[in-house]
Amino acid sequence: MKYVLISLLLFTSTLGFAQDSTKVLSLAEYLGYVKTYHPVVKQARLITSESEAQLMASRGAFDPKLEVDFANKEFKGSNYYNQLNAAFKIPTWYGIELKAAYEANDGLYLNPENTVPDDGLYSVGVSVSLARDLLINKRMALLKQARLFVKQAKAEQQLQVNQILYEATLSYFKWLQSYNEKRVYEAFLENAQFRFDGIKRSYESGELPAIDTLEARITLNTRKLDLEKSRITYIKSSLALSNFLWLNDNTPIELRDQVIPDVQTGEAIDNVLNTSELDLENLDLSLHPKLQALDFKLQGLNLERKLKMNNLLPQVDLQYQFLSETPELASSFNTANYKGGLQINFPLFLRKERGDLRLANLKMQDTRFDIQVKQVSLKNKIDALNQELASYVDQTNYTNVIVADYQTMLQAEERKFFLGESALFLVNTRESRLIDAKLKAIALETLYYNTKAALFNVLALPETNIP
């Protein structure tokens, strides 16, 4: 359910006003609420939270472990065996694992190799991978990749937030355009009403023919029709803008009729979007979040490639443990009593390992191509948008001159009409052309604003002046 926007709740940065007075919603204020409360922005923050949870999980591979294994067998009144094996293991960064254990076994049919002293047997030792998994192993690679995923997630979060702000900005500019168009039609409706009333009085006094009142009424109704169309467009754009406005409790809100856009948005747009002091020629694209995300992805793939290369080495695992009945005496742990083992595993053809390594190299090459393409694409987009903005500045200057000239011609035609030297048809024609010129100027202004927003979206700047 949508709730009406309460001005004192949503717009606290401006002066108080009467309930029925208009309230200007600036671009900065609007984007501030979008950035703070929009569900998609909150959803984007989950990306970072998820990656941090994965990092915590990967660190769990290095957590110390306490293991207890107990086995018992009783059959026909005989205690076949009781076996207790408790161990405390500490994994380390490299392929080394520290282990302390206690073993207590007894029973009538106990396997002789499991025979231990009556008070049990203590052991302290180490397990080492001498070839494969020594310098890099799966748990080490997963932890490093998880750290990269956190950085990558932050870059992707920035891209998602930037995208929703871009879409919200376009919606604001559409709202502003429809509002300005409505104002134009309102102003010219007043002119048409004033002209119709004057011509009607002149007809009633016999100064003008009846045909002039008919043409004035046609113009008046045409202006009313245009205003009604623009009013509906404005309402639709207001509702579209409301899609981006939410309260802190995830409640969607709807703009009140008294809330209007800031007609001076052009003066603040560069400051809000932080595009006023950009050195586009010396812009470091390597800092772009999209390229950073791809670079973190490439680093993660490089870790995977190293892990695959590590699998080409033979598996050589060495275990060595000092044994003692009296662990309270450190000297009792010596080389005279020990338990050791060596395990070697090496596939003869290594087809699986070589295939995995080739796939890892192909993934890295594919990502490098993505980075190169994205760099060129970003550079070309920025250059194109920069040139487009410069062109819109020139077009705006031309349009402003055209609007001023049409305004002058209309005023001159109106003076001639009231002096009886012109016809109402010419006045209406001049006025229609002026309206078209003003609407084109508004549309051109919106295109300029949209291009500014597109530049903001392409650059994906980490900091903006959005409150």
Side-chain angles (χ1 to χ4, degrees):
M1 178 179 179
K2 289 189 175 180
Y3 290 83
V4 174
L5 179 61
I6 302 175
S7 57
L8 292 178
L9 178 62
L10 184 58
F11 309 120
T12 58
S13 62
T14 58
L15 297 176
F17 53 93
Q19 183 176 358
D20 295 330
S21 62
T22 58
K23 167 65 182 70
V24 176
L25 174 60
S26 68
L27 177 63
E29 192 174 12
Y30 161 69
L31 291 181
Y33 282 95
V34 175
K35 187 176 181 180
T36 304
Y37 300 121
H38 197 282
V40 174
V41 176
K42 294 181 179 180
Q43 185 180 18
R45 297 192 182 106
L46 296 179
I47 298 176
T48 304
S49 300
E50 182 180 354
S51 64
E52 290 173 348
Q54 292 177 350
L55 176 59
M56 180 183 295
S58 64
R59 284 174 174 164
F62 294 90
D63 290 344
K65 299 177 183 180
L66 180 62
E67 298 178 355
V68 178
D69 184 13
F70 176 74
N72 169 262
K73 183 177 179 180
E74 295 279 348
F75 185 68
K76 292 184 178 181
S78 299
N79 181 14
Y80 274 58
Y81 58 80
N82 292 307
Q83 290 181 302
L84 173 64
N85 194 337
F88 180 71
K89 299 179 180 179
I90 304 178
T92 63
W93 181 249
Y94 295 102
I96 301 174
E97 184 177 73
L98 305 178
K99 179 179 178 181
Y102 171 75
E103 187 177 1
N105 306 318
D106 61 65
L108 296 177
Y109 304 104
L110 184 69
N111 192 324
E113 71 175 20
N114 294 326
T115 301
V116 296
D118 293 339
D119 293 334
L121 184 64
Y122 297 87
S123 64
V124 175
V126 65
S127 174
V128 182
S129 295
L130 299 179
R132 182 190 299 183
D133 297 337
L134 176 62
L135 299 179
I136 185 170
N137 49 64
K138 187 174 182 179
R139 66 188 179 193
M140 184 192 305
L142 287 177
L143 180 56
K144 289 183 176 180
Q145 285 179 328
R147 290 172 177 170
L148 291 173
F149 287 157
V150 172
K151 298 178 181 179
Q152 182 179 347
K154 291 180 179 179
E156 292 176 350
Q157 172 189 327
Q158 183 180 334
L159 290 173
Q160 285 202 11
V161 173
N162 187 81
Q163 180 64 27
I164 193 65
L165 290 177
Y166 168 66
E167 294 174 2
T169 303
L170 293 183
S171 182
Y172 183 90
F173 293 154
K174 184 65 178 178
W175 182 47
L176 175 61
Q177 179 184 6
S178 62
Y179 175 74
N180 285 333
E181 291 176 347
K182 186 170 73 73
R183 291 175 63 204
V184 169
Y185 286 121
E186 287 173 344
F188 282 97
L189 176 60
E190 293 180 4
N191 293 344
Q193 184 69 56
F194 177 79
R195 191 181 299 120
F196 173 74
D197 294 340
I199 291 175
K200 184 179 180 181
R201 288 193 297 269
S202 297
Y203 161 71
E204 292 173 349
S205 63
E207 297 179 6
L208 292 175
I211 191 66
D212 284 346
T213 61
L214 180 60
E215 184 168 352
R217 189 173 68 178
I218 292 174
T219 302
L220 176 62
N221 288 328
T222 300
R223 299 290 180 262
K224 289 181 179 179
L225 179 62
D226 291 339
L227 177 58
E228 181 63 21
K229 291 180 180 179
S230 66
R231 188 183 69 85
I232 295 300
T233 302
Y234 176 69
I235 292 175
K236 292 172 64 177
S237 63
S238 299
L239 293 174
L241 187 80
S242 298
N243 292 334
F244 295 94
L245 291 175
W246 297 72
L247 293 178
N248 192 28
D249 58 351
N250 295 329
T251 302
I253 56 180
E254 186 176 316
L255 288 178
R256 298 182 59 172
D257 294 337
Q258 291 81 10
V259 180
I260 62 175
D262 182 10
V263 295
Q264 304 297 328
T265 296
E267 299 177 2
I269 183 173
D270 281 327
N271 183 54
V272 173
L273 301 182
N274 200 23
T275 56
S276 56
E277 299 180 357
L278 285 176
D279 186 4
L280 298 179
E281 294 183 357
N282 300 318
L283 189 65
D284 187 2
L285 289 180
S286 63
L287 300 178
H288 193 280
K290 181 61 178 178
L291 293 178
Q292 286 185 328
L294 288 174
D295 183 63
F296 292 137
K297 178 183 177 181
L298 182 63
Q299 294 181 43
L301 291 175
N302 187 42
L303 287 174
E304 184 178 345
R305 182 185 66 86
K306 290 181 178 179
L307 189 61
K308 302 303 181 185
M309 290 180 62
N310 176 75
N311 291 338
L312 296 176
L313 299 175
Q315 184 76 41
V316 182
D317 294 336
L318 174 65
Q319 296 185 11
Y320 189 89
Q321 295 176 326
F322 297 99
L323 304 178
S324 173
E325 298 181 68
T326 55
E328 64 276 6
L329 299 176
S331 59
S332 64
F333 292 100
N334 53 60
T335 56
N337 302 306
Y338 69 89
K339 178 181 178 181
L342 179 65
Q343 181 179 6
I344 300 177
N345 182 12
F346 185 67
L348 295 180
F349 299 110
L350 294 172
R351 284 180 291 194
K352 179 181 182 302
E353 290 75 10
R354 288 187 287 114
D356 290 341
L357 178 59
R358 183 176 300 178
L359 289 175
N361 288 328
L362 291 175
K363 289 180 181 179
M364 288 190 63
Q365 187 176 5
D366 182 67
T367 304
R368 289 193 184 98
F369 287 148
D370 283 344
I371 293 176
Q372 293 175 355
V373 171
K374 194 62 181 179
Q375 283 178 332
V376 175
S377 176
L378 285 173
K379 184 178 183 304
N380 290 338
K381 283 182 179 180
I382 293 173
D383 291 342
L385 289 172
N386 199 29
Q387 294 183 30
E388 190 174 353
L389 287 173
S391 175
Y392 282 140
V393 171
D394 294 337
Q395 294 180 49
T396 300
N397 294 332
Y398 299 144
T399 303
N400 290 338
V401 173
I402 293 173
V403 170
D405 290 344
Y406 273 128
Q407 184 73 51
T408 302
M409 293 182 67
L410 174 61
Q411 293 173 352
E413 201 66 48
E414 286 178 335
R415 286 195 297 269
K416 290 172 63 178
F417 173 73
F418 286 110
L419 292 175
E421 298 177 0
S422 180
L424 182 60
F425 171 76
L426 293 177
V427 175
N428 290 336
T429 301
R430 300 291 190 198
E431 188 178 70
S432 296
R433 290 180 178 176
L434 176 59
I435 292 174
D436 291 340
K438 282 181 174 290
L439 295 178
K440 288 180 180 178
I442 293 172
L444 183 61
E445 180 185 61
T446 303
L447 288 175
Y448 176 77
Y449 291 164
N450 289 345
T451 306
K452 280 282 187 181
L455 181 61
F456 160 79
N457 188 39
V458 171
L459 292 174
L461 298 172
E463 297 294 336
T464 60
N465 294 322
I466 300 172

